[in-house]
Amino acid sequence: MRSPELLSMIREMPKAENHLHIEGSTTPRTAIKIAKRNKIDLPFASEAAILKHIEENVVDLTTFLQCDRLFNSVCLHEEDFYDVVYDIGEDASKQNIVYQELHMDYPLNGARGVPMDVYMKGCEAGRQAVKRDFGIEMVFIAAVDRTQSPEDCLSFVKQLEPYRHIIDGLGMDCDERGYPCRLHKEAFALGGEMGLFRTAHAGEDDGCQNIWEALNDLGCQRIDHGVRAIDDPALMKELADRQVMLAMCTRSNVMTGAVPELAAHPIKTFMDSGILCSVSSDDPPYIGNLLWEYQGLVDELGFGEDDILTLARNAYQYSIKGQHLLPAFDAWVKEWKAQH
Ligand code: ADE
Ligand code: ZN
């Protein structure tokens, strides 16, 4: 039940976030600023016009991805990627986020001719500045665009080798239907050999079969979204037994139509079935930030303090490398409980 205490706990607790896309986080303000700098004719003059375009056009995953590509197309140079990552960090600091795992959707930029080196250098400089100015730890997950051919995806993973010191995870995203996980078995096998943590968007815009494939063909240690697991009790048991976390984004699932409304989201059923879950904002300018994500669980799904704390703790415990921050989180919770 919503209460001022619960909302202030959500605001004040030191948070980790496991699932956020750099490309999906380009704010309208930043897109306009970068477009001017790069002399790109973005067909929107104001932030309000961009937001109106989003509101009128985004009805599912495909239309979201069209917008995502459009606004992100202004990014060409190191400083552009630096700005986007720095913005994410600044926004995170306002929400008391201390650890954040970011999907790098480089292939969308590569398709526009941006060299990988430019992208990686810009993002890495942004990440270092975020650590310096806000003390936030960012961890990068390089994401395969599953709509590209298996050969191109494999070659993408090979190209990550020189940036291994920057990247800790391998992910997979973009349109899901028609692009099953099994197509990218080789790319993920190589990611595994490189020692990358493996995760994939699955069961967001397609069915359970794709989650099974993410687990069994790609060797994923985490599933992004995984909403459709609700249709298959055997899969739910498998996820619970393997302790593979679902990095869920409940409001994003409403935006893309994966669930009809927040109140119908299966996250609580998953948690009650022993499946590990955390929540994240996915693409904040389109959806809202992490505070908004947690608040939705309280307002629409009746989450209480313990449910929220379970999700928040999972985001550290089952993160790629944020476990060292757990003692500080636990100490914060103990203090909070003593005072409330
Ligand atoms: N890229 C950014 N957000 C995404 C989502 N929700 N699903 C697939 N690809 C994405
Ligand atoms: Zn995502």
PDB file of all heavy atoms in Angstrom, residues 19 21 24 61 64-65 68 105 173-175 201 204 225 252 256 282-283, ligand 1:
ATOM      1  N   HIS A  19      19.082  -3.130 -15.941  1.00  0.00           N
ATOM      2  CA  HIS A  19      18.591  -3.224 -17.322  1.00  0.00           C
ATOM      3  C   HIS A  19      18.151  -1.850 -17.842  1.00  0.00           C
ATOM      4  O   HIS A  19      17.038  -1.407 -17.569  1.00  0.00           O
ATOM      5  CB  HIS A  19      17.426  -4.237 -17.336  1.00  0.00           C
ATOM      6  CG  HIS A  19      16.776  -4.438 -18.663  1.00  0.00           C
ATOM      7  ND1 HIS A  19      15.856  -5.443 -18.884  1.00  0.00           N
ATOM      8  CD2 HIS A  19      16.883  -3.796 -19.841  1.00  0.00           C
ATOM      9  CE1 HIS A  19      15.421  -5.390 -20.128  1.00  0.00           C
ATOM     10  NE2 HIS A  19      16.032  -4.391 -20.729  1.00  0.00           N
ATOM     11  N   HIS A  21      19.103   0.808 -21.415  1.00  0.00           N
ATOM     12  CA  HIS A  21      19.826   0.914 -22.693  1.00  0.00           C
ATOM     13  C   HIS A  21      20.402   2.310 -22.880  1.00  0.00           C
ATOM     14  O   HIS A  21      19.660   3.298 -22.741  1.00  0.00           O
ATOM     15  CB  HIS A  21      18.881   0.627 -23.868  1.00  0.00           C
ATOM     16  CG  HIS A  21      18.288  -0.747 -23.815  1.00  0.00           C
ATOM     17  ND1 HIS A  21      18.745  -1.778 -24.601  1.00  0.00           N
ATOM     18  CD2 HIS A  21      17.295  -1.269 -23.053  1.00  0.00           C
ATOM     19  CE1 HIS A  21      18.047  -2.873 -24.338  1.00  0.00           C
ATOM     20  NE2 HIS A  21      17.155  -2.592 -23.394  1.00  0.00           N
ATOM     21  N   GLY A  24      18.451   3.909 -25.646  1.00  0.00           N
ATOM     22  CA  GLY A  24      17.081   4.243 -25.252  1.00  0.00           C
ATOM     23  C   GLY A  24      17.027   5.297 -24.163  1.00  0.00           C
ATOM     24  O   GLY A  24      15.946   5.605 -23.651  1.00  0.00           O
ATOM     25  N   LEU A  61       6.701  -2.722 -29.547  1.00  0.00           N
ATOM     26  CA  LEU A  61       8.168  -2.776 -29.548  1.00  0.00           C
ATOM     27  C   LEU A  61       8.753  -2.210 -30.846  1.00  0.00           C
ATOM     28  O   LEU A  61       9.729  -1.454 -30.823  1.00  0.00           O
ATOM     29  CB  LEU A  61       8.636  -4.228 -29.335  1.00  0.00           C
ATOM     30  CG  LEU A  61      10.153  -4.430 -29.262  1.00  0.00           C
ATOM     31  CD1 LEU A  61      10.776  -3.628 -28.127  1.00  0.00           C
ATOM     32  CD2 LEU A  61      10.495  -5.911 -29.103  1.00  0.00           C
ATOM     33  N   PHE A  64       8.463   1.531 -30.941  1.00  0.00           N
ATOM     34  CA  PHE A  64       9.414   2.093 -29.974  1.00  0.00           C
ATOM     35  C   PHE A  64      10.819   2.095 -30.582  1.00  0.00           C
ATOM     36  O   PHE A  64      11.540   3.104 -30.520  1.00  0.00           O
ATOM     37  CB  PHE A  64       9.424   1.295 -28.654  1.00  0.00           C
ATOM     38  CG  PHE A  64      10.707   1.482 -27.916  1.00  0.00           C
ATOM     39  CD1 PHE A  64      10.975   2.691 -27.279  1.00  0.00           C
ATOM     40  CD2 PHE A  64      11.690   0.505 -27.933  1.00  0.00           C
ATOM     41  CE1 PHE A  64      12.200   2.905 -26.657  1.00  0.00           C
ATOM     42  CE2 PHE A  64      12.907   0.710 -27.314  1.00  0.00           C
ATOM     43  CZ  PHE A  64      13.164   1.913 -26.669  1.00  0.00           C
ATOM     44  N   LEU A  65      11.204   0.957 -31.183  1.00  0.00           N
ATOM     45  CA  LEU A  65      12.566   0.850 -31.730  1.00  0.00           C
ATOM     46  C   LEU A  65      12.782   1.849 -32.871  1.00  0.00           C
ATOM     47  O   LEU A  65      13.887   2.349 -33.061  1.00  0.00           O
ATOM     48  CB  LEU A  65      12.847  -0.586 -32.186  1.00  0.00           C
ATOM     49  CG  LEU A  65      13.036  -1.586 -31.023  1.00  0.00           C
ATOM     50  CD1 LEU A  65      12.987  -3.031 -31.529  1.00  0.00           C
ATOM     51  CD2 LEU A  65      14.338  -1.341 -30.266  1.00  0.00           C
ATOM     52  N   ASP A  68      13.505   5.069 -31.076  1.00  0.00           N
ATOM     53  CA  ASP A  68      14.807   4.904 -30.450  1.00  0.00           C
ATOM     54  C   ASP A  68      15.917   5.172 -31.483  1.00  0.00           C
ATOM     55  O   ASP A  68      16.868   5.919 -31.237  1.00  0.00           O
ATOM     56  CB  ASP A  68      14.851   3.458 -29.926  1.00  0.00           C
ATOM     57  CG  ASP A  68      16.115   3.073 -29.197  1.00  0.00           C
ATOM     58  OD1 ASP A  68      16.237   3.465 -28.037  1.00  0.00           O
ATOM     59  OD2 ASP A  68      16.958   2.382 -29.783  1.00  0.00           O
ATOM     60  N   ASP A 105      23.809  -0.648 -27.219  1.00  0.00           N
ATOM     61  CA  ASP A 105      23.234  -1.114 -28.489  1.00  0.00           C
ATOM     62  C   ASP A 105      24.070  -0.578 -29.643  1.00  0.00           C
ATOM     63  O   ASP A 105      23.560   0.120 -30.529  1.00  0.00           O
ATOM     64  CB  ASP A 105      21.762  -0.684 -28.590  1.00  0.00           C
ATOM     65  CG  ASP A 105      20.903  -1.378 -27.531  1.00  0.00           C
ATOM     66  OD1 ASP A 105      21.275  -2.478 -27.093  1.00  0.00           O
ATOM     67  OD2 ASP A 105      19.862  -0.808 -27.144  1.00  0.00           O
ATOM     68  N   ASP A 173      19.193  -7.855 -28.050  1.00  0.00           N
ATOM     69  CA  ASP A 173      17.903  -7.159 -28.009  1.00  0.00           C
ATOM     70  C   ASP A 173      17.400  -6.812 -29.402  1.00  0.00           C
ATOM     71  O   ASP A 173      17.781  -7.451 -30.358  1.00  0.00           O
ATOM     72  CB  ASP A 173      17.986  -5.922 -27.088  1.00  0.00           C
ATOM     73  CG  ASP A 173      19.069  -4.953 -27.520  1.00  0.00           C
ATOM     74  OD1 ASP A 173      19.575  -5.081 -28.642  1.00  0.00           O
ATOM     75  OD2 ASP A 173      19.418  -4.074 -26.728  1.00  0.00           O
ATOM     76  N   CYS A 174      16.553  -5.816 -29.503  1.00  0.00           N
ATOM     77  CA  CYS A 174      15.831  -5.394 -30.724  1.00  0.00           C
ATOM     78  C   CYS A 174      14.643  -6.333 -30.982  1.00  0.00           C
ATOM     79  O   CYS A 174      14.274  -7.095 -30.103  1.00  0.00           O
ATOM     80  CB  CYS A 174      16.760  -5.262 -31.926  1.00  0.00           C
ATOM     81  SG  CYS A 174      17.968  -3.924 -31.675  1.00  0.00           S
ATOM     82  N   ASP A 175      14.072  -6.265 -32.191  1.00  0.00           N
ATOM     83  CA  ASP A 175      12.840  -7.026 -32.456  1.00  0.00           C
ATOM     84  C   ASP A 175      13.035  -8.507 -32.146  1.00  0.00           C
ATOM     85  O   ASP A 175      14.058  -9.093 -32.508  1.00  0.00           O
ATOM     86  CB  ASP A 175      12.438  -6.868 -33.928  1.00  0.00           C
ATOM     87  CG  ASP A 175      11.815  -5.510 -34.174  1.00  0.00           C
ATOM     88  OD1 ASP A 175      10.769  -5.212 -33.577  1.00  0.00           O
ATOM     89  OD2 ASP A 175      12.397  -4.730 -34.958  1.00  0.00           O
ATOM     90  N   HIS A 201      17.337 -10.477 -24.067  1.00  0.00           N
ATOM     91  CA  HIS A 201      15.915 -10.142 -24.037  1.00  0.00           C
ATOM     92  C   HIS A 201      15.166 -11.341 -24.623  1.00  0.00           C
ATOM     93  O   HIS A 201      15.449 -11.753 -25.755  1.00  0.00           O
ATOM     94  CB  HIS A 201      15.629  -8.922 -24.902  1.00  0.00           C
ATOM     95  CG  HIS A 201      16.069  -7.614 -24.306  1.00  0.00           C
ATOM     96  ND1 HIS A 201      17.339  -7.389 -23.848  1.00  0.00           N
ATOM     97  CD2 HIS A 201      15.377  -6.459 -24.083  1.00  0.00           C
ATOM     98  CE1 HIS A 201      17.416  -6.158 -23.376  1.00  0.00           C
ATOM     99  NE2 HIS A 201      16.239  -5.562 -23.505  1.00  0.00           N
ATOM    100  N   GLU A 204       9.671 -11.287 -24.293  1.00  0.00           N
ATOM    101  CA  GLU A 204       9.112  -9.925 -24.183  1.00  0.00           C
ATOM    102  C   GLU A 204       8.048  -9.746 -25.262  1.00  0.00           C
ATOM    103  O   GLU A 204       6.920  -9.374 -24.966  1.00  0.00           O
ATOM    104  CB  GLU A 204      10.225  -8.873 -24.358  1.00  0.00           C
ATOM    105  CG  GLU A 204       9.704  -7.435 -24.336  1.00  0.00           C
ATOM    106  CD  GLU A 204      10.743  -6.413 -24.802  1.00  0.00           C
ATOM    107  OE1 GLU A 204      11.655  -6.796 -25.551  1.00  0.00           O
ATOM    108  OE2 GLU A 204      10.611  -5.232 -24.423  1.00  0.00           O
ATOM    109  N   HIS A 225      13.466  -9.202 -19.235  1.00  0.00           N
ATOM    110  CA  HIS A 225      11.995  -9.311 -19.337  1.00  0.00           C
ATOM    111  C   HIS A 225      11.521 -10.724 -18.954  1.00  0.00           C
ATOM    112  O   HIS A 225      11.186 -10.968 -17.821  1.00  0.00           O
ATOM    113  CB  HIS A 225      11.462  -8.887 -20.713  1.00  0.00           C
ATOM    114  CG  HIS A 225      11.774  -7.462 -21.058  1.00  0.00           C
ATOM    115  ND1 HIS A 225      11.236  -6.407 -20.368  1.00  0.00           N
ATOM    116  CD2 HIS A 225      12.592  -6.932 -21.997  1.00  0.00           C
ATOM    117  CE1 HIS A 225      11.703  -5.271 -20.885  1.00  0.00           C
ATOM    118  NE2 HIS A 225      12.528  -5.559 -21.860  1.00  0.00           N
ATOM    119  N   SER A 252       7.853  -0.702 -18.990  1.00  0.00           N
ATOM    120  CA  SER A 252       8.236  -0.897 -20.389  1.00  0.00           C
ATOM    121  C   SER A 252       7.319  -1.939 -21.026  1.00  0.00           C
ATOM    122  O   SER A 252       6.917  -1.819 -22.190  1.00  0.00           O
ATOM    123  CB  SER A 252       9.694  -1.350 -20.456  1.00  0.00           C
ATOM    124  OG  SER A 252       9.998  -1.879 -21.710  1.00  0.00           O
ATOM    125  N   THR A 256       5.208  -1.547 -24.541  1.00  0.00           N
ATOM    126  CA  THR A 256       5.359  -2.373 -25.754  1.00  0.00           C
ATOM    127  C   THR A 256       4.191  -3.336 -25.957  1.00  0.00           C
ATOM    128  O   THR A 256       4.159  -4.060 -26.943  1.00  0.00           O
ATOM    129  CB  THR A 256       6.668  -3.199 -25.687  1.00  0.00           C
ATOM    130  OG1 THR A 256       6.616  -4.047 -24.532  1.00  0.00           O
ATOM    131  CG2 THR A 256       7.892  -2.313 -25.636  1.00  0.00           C
ATOM    132  N   ASP A 282      14.635   0.390 -18.240  1.00  0.00           N
ATOM    133  CA  ASP A 282      14.758   0.024 -19.653  1.00  0.00           C
ATOM    134  C   ASP A 282      15.146   1.215 -20.536  1.00  0.00           C
ATOM    135  O   ASP A 282      16.273   1.283 -21.013  1.00  0.00           O
ATOM    136  CB  ASP A 282      13.462  -0.634 -20.159  1.00  0.00           C
ATOM    137  CG  ASP A 282      13.685  -1.665 -21.256  1.00  0.00           C
ATOM    138  OD1 ASP A 282      14.849  -1.970 -21.551  1.00  0.00           O
ATOM    139  OD2 ASP A 282      12.689  -2.186 -21.801  1.00  0.00           O
ATOM    140  N   ASP A 283      14.219   2.139 -20.752  1.00  0.00           N
ATOM    141  CA  ASP A 283      14.438   3.269 -21.664  1.00  0.00           C
ATOM    142  C   ASP A 283      13.739   4.501 -21.068  1.00  0.00           C
ATOM    143  O   ASP A 283      12.646   4.875 -21.512  1.00  0.00           O
ATOM    144  CB  ASP A 283      13.833   2.934 -23.036  1.00  0.00           C
ATOM    145  CG  ASP A 283      14.395   1.639 -23.613  1.00  0.00           C
ATOM    146  OD1 ASP A 283      15.550   1.637 -24.043  1.00  0.00           O
ATOM    147  OD2 ASP A 283      13.670   0.623 -23.603  1.00  0.00           O
TER     148      ASP A 283
HETATM  149  N1  ADE B   1      16.089  -1.904 -26.995  1.00  0.00           N
HETATM  150  C1  ADE B   1      15.748  -0.966 -26.107  1.00  0.00           C
HETATM  151  N2  ADE B   1      14.694  -1.364 -25.376  1.00  0.00           N
HETATM  152  C2  ADE B   1      14.363  -2.606 -25.813  1.00  0.00           C
HETATM  153  C3  ADE B   1      13.368  -3.536 -25.459  1.00  0.00           C
HETATM  154  N3  ADE B   1      12.489  -3.283 -24.502  1.00  0.00           N
HETATM  155  N4  ADE B   1      13.312  -4.700 -26.133  1.00  0.00           N
HETATM  156  C4  ADE B   1      14.191  -4.963 -27.113  1.00  0.00           C
HETATM  157  N5  ADE B   1      15.150  -4.114 -27.492  1.00  0.00           N
HETATM  158  C5  ADE B   1      15.244  -2.942 -26.851  1.00  0.00           C
END
